[in-house]
Amino acid sequence: MLYRMLAYNSRMDTQNDELRMDFVLRLAHGQMDPNCVPEGQHDDTGKCGLSFVYAFWAVNDNPYWYFSRAKYLNTMGEDGAARWAANQAQYYTIHQVENSGKYDYLTISLVGDVNYPDASTSGNYDSSDTDRVDYKQVGGAKLNQFVYAIAGKDYALWNKGIDTLYLNPSQEFDSRFVTNIAQDYPAYVYSPECGIGSAGGACNGPMSFVGWDAYPTLFSGGQANWGMVADYGFKGHSAPGIAPPKSFFVYWYNPARSYTDSSGPYPCSRNTSFYYQWIGLKEGKYWEPVTSLTPTAQRVDGQHPIGPGTPPEMTNTWPAFNEPAQNGKTNNLMAPGPGNGGQNAQLPDGSINFEIAKQQDHLDGYFKLVTWPITTNADGSTTGCATASNKEAYNPDAGITASMSQAEIASRINTGWTIDTVMSRYQIPRPDPPTISQPTQDSYVNNSTVTVTGTATVGHEAANNGNPERRYMVTLFAEDPSHPIQDSTSQGANDYNSRGVEIGSTEVDDQGNWSIVDANTIVDGKANIDGSSRRYHAYLTELNSGQTLTSDFSNIVRVYFYTAPDPAPTVVHLTMPHTVDGQLPAGSTGQVDGALHPTHNGSSLQVEALPVANPSATPIAVSSQPNFGTSSTQWQASISNPSGFQPVSGDNRYVFRAWLQTINGLRSPLGSQIFEIDMVPPKPGIVMASNRVVSGRATVSSAPGAGPQQGGFVVVTWPDGSNSGKVNIANDGTWSVPVPSGMTTNGTVGVRATDVAGNESALETRGIEPIPRIMAIPLAGAVPWHQIAASALIAGSAVLLGLTALIYKRRRDNKSLHF
């Protein structure tokens, strides 16, 4: 399919008729490889996959059915560019291949010899032509042109011949693989003859020479003026991007030049002046003046007046070339430059730096030179040469400006003659790739359906001053695991062959936003199940061209589907510190641990604790640990502030609970266990400390009203520094320790209590109070007997206690007791 006609020398005369076209052709991806033949060589077998066959005479019901074949010439390099510049035969070349989705877009220049009918009586017309060559028709005859692009060797009829073919297209071409790219581009064919009977001296009008073989002689000796490959430069002539002097020409002649009648020379017979202008392509669709060369059309005067010929006379003497004036010849193509202080892209020697021209105007790299005639009578007057009937052919409105509409520019180009074209690293402007914004790379979603959103080139009226033609569509693809996405270019664009499975398409809105839902599309037989992942990318398609030109692919985004929680972890052990001397040691910590078996990578573990007596209390955060792998089996967490775990309402039980949370926030069920946490030291509770016994009642804490300490032990430290060893505490909290025999009772005793959890109290002290002796009890006076008896009993008890203490001490000292 023809994507765009860039330039077509559609105006020509029947003596110097040549085929000159630059265009962009859309072809199936991979159909044509420009490197199918070595640089500077051509394909004469059809192996490259693309052929062009064009009508040398005419087609359909014409008895000649005579065609020529334009063969592919590889110009992708300095040697190939020079070979093309010297070309004088039927060839085409490919400047650039741009992959776009399932298509390749090929930028092509084609040149060849053609022979249009010379007169209205010729038999070489197509039956559908409405015009015939007639010197009385101003502006020439509008004739159909046939240039067939053929995809594939099998359909190009190479067996019919290489350069000359006799065939019937309607019968022998397969329309599935062949298209006439010139179908909408007729040729305006001029006759070199003149005669009495019509306006303007009965002539078609002045003609600009197309150029063929070595006429005129340019720097390369060939047809360098059409489709020049400036990308690589020309060895010995110029650097890349620069066209050497004498690369281009303009040469006007007039068929009325030598005609006279009884009234004298024919009117409007003189063409010694013309306009020319370099025009560039921008954004693939807009023609603009090249301001670094010719911001306006330039008038050139001084060409020697000539008539038609094959070729016209003095073709190497009087054409205007891109070179300075010399040897008295002043007609040349020396552009004035921008005139605004910018750089002139044309150098003093006449060479033109098209890279400068491209950069200054932000152009695509495609340029064409258009020329318009200035026609006068033989005496230089313009009387009758600008009338409505012949103005467009003899003195058309010349030149374009940046302020003109594209329709007006197209009209100006159409009335001119396109004589020279250049490509300097030309690329088809494609839409900028869209961007996937959400989900971000390596995102995790908790649903098998995911919405992919992003931004792209702004569509509709918002980006084009109210012009609704600017519209774009985004197409989203999911990676097919059997054909993984491949980054295939230095720019990182993806290979179309690995684009994957289409998820959906949507048009970009006026703000440049788009959104497409992957509703769990089956890809390669698989859905978005828990634990799976999927990669996405997208491209943009321009809708306004009708040719589905696409961008490169967007960024690639991988999404993980975590749609189910992990199993609950377990809480197994708790170890807490205990008080020493009534205080938790500085820096003491606890530890809790358990087991876990995550089914998702990257899950985090959360652990917290609550008092059993107050489940509505604010949980105590114990631990938050990220990034567990699926191979994890154990967990443990340090408790850095164990003093925060205090009994609540007398209950020292805490429930520890743990859960796993996936990266995308799914929480597992809770794992929990209740633990007794006792870090409160008991109170020894000394009741009595005498020279016979130290006893007391221990409580679970020093708080008022605290209950009895059940179990555990006390240790009594005697005044001499020795201690009693561990003495058990009874279930009612009582304890009693006799004073060892011989122990000094002048001083204090200290007692520490340790509960069953291991919490050791602070030291509690008491001074020793002696028990009065019996003999010290007064007997005089009226003392009843029962009091005396009681005193005797106390004295006897004291003796007994003293004896008991002695036995205890002896046993503790592992000594025998003798009486």
Side-chain angles (χ1 to χ4, degrees), residues 607-611 617-623 639 641 644-646 654 656:
V607 184
E608 63 184 22
L610 275 171
T618 301
I620 299 173
V622 174
S623 180
I639 300 173
N641 185 25
F645 290 82
Q646 298 297 327
Y654 277 80
F656 281 75

Side-chain angles (χ1 to χ4, degrees), residues 180-229:
N180 175 18
I181 64 172
Q183 182 173 347
D184 298 323
Y185 296 90
Y188 296 86
V189 182
Y190 286 57
S191 169
E193 307 298 329
C194 277
I196 300 172
S198 68
C203 301
N204 292 160
M207 310 167 193
S208 184
F209 181 49
V210 177
W212 48 272
D213 290 358
Y215 304 105
T217 301
L218 300 175
F219 86 92
S220 65
Q223 298 160 358
N225 67 304
W226 193 269
M228 169 180 274
V229 182

